[in-house]
Amino acid sequence: MDILLVDDSKTMRQLVKRALRQAGYENLQIGEAGNGAEALSMVQAEQPKLVLSDWNMPEMLGIDLLKRVRGQNCQVPFGFITSESSEDIRETAMREGASFFITKPFTTENIDAALAPHMSK
């Protein structure tokens, strides 16, 4: 798996997948998880090359998922794509080891700029 896309909204996962394809990442294998707990299991089992997560989700918040992933000494690039936009949340994400932070609404260019340092097209 190349990218694990984590969001409790199936519609949002579809929108992000479309934006990824439009940004030129159409040949990557994209897995999906509907919450942080499901994503944690998938990170362990599938070892994706990048995790792209929402912040607010049931079962486990995105920040808690990041902390758990980092707590397992997994250094997979991990980014957020979220409607949360406060500087405190952004700083918390980066302090905990996030690689990038994309605020919704996003553009194809936002996606490409965030993923380009971590993924090949």
Side-chain angles (χ1 to χ4, degrees):
M1 176 186 313
D2 294 304
I3 297 175
L4 175 58
L5 180 55
V6 189
D7 198 304
D8 57 313
S9 166
K10 184 172 178 62
T11 301
M12 186 53 65
R13 291 194 309 266
Q14 294 305 316
L15 289 171
V16 174
K17 283 171 68 173
R18 185 175 67 192
L20 286 165
R21 286 192 303 273
Q22 291 173 343
Y25 297 96
E26 66 271 354
N27 294 321
L28 300 180
Q29 182 185 5
I30 301 171
E32 297 182 41
N35 62 59
E38 182 182 348
L40 185 60
S41 295
M42 291 180 75
V43 166
Q44 295 164 341
E46 304 285 334
Q47 299 180 349
K49 295 176 184 169
L50 184 135
V51 176
L52 186 54
S53 179
D54 189 16
W55 187 278
N56 291 308
M57 298 178 291
E59 310 242 357
M60 184 186 302
L61 295 175
I63 190 66
D64 295 326
L65 171 61
L66 173 59
K67 289 177 183 178
R68 297 278 300 271
V69 166
R70 293 295 183 249
Q72 296 175 348
N73 204 28
C74 177
Q75 297 305 311
V76 63
F78 192 114
F80 287 99
I81 186 161
T82 179
S83 57
E84 296 294 337
S85 60
S86 78
E87 194 57 37
D88 286 345
I89 285 180
R90 183 181 297 269
E91 286 175 8
T92 298
M94 302 313 276
R95 184 176 58 249
E96 294 296 335
S99 303
F100 57 87
F101 197 96
I102 302 168
T103 304
K104 297 175 190 171
F106 55 86
T107 65
T108 316
E109 291 79 18
N110 298 140
I111 298 272
D112 191 34
L115 270 64
H118 308 285
M119 300 292 301
S120 298
K121 292 183 182 179

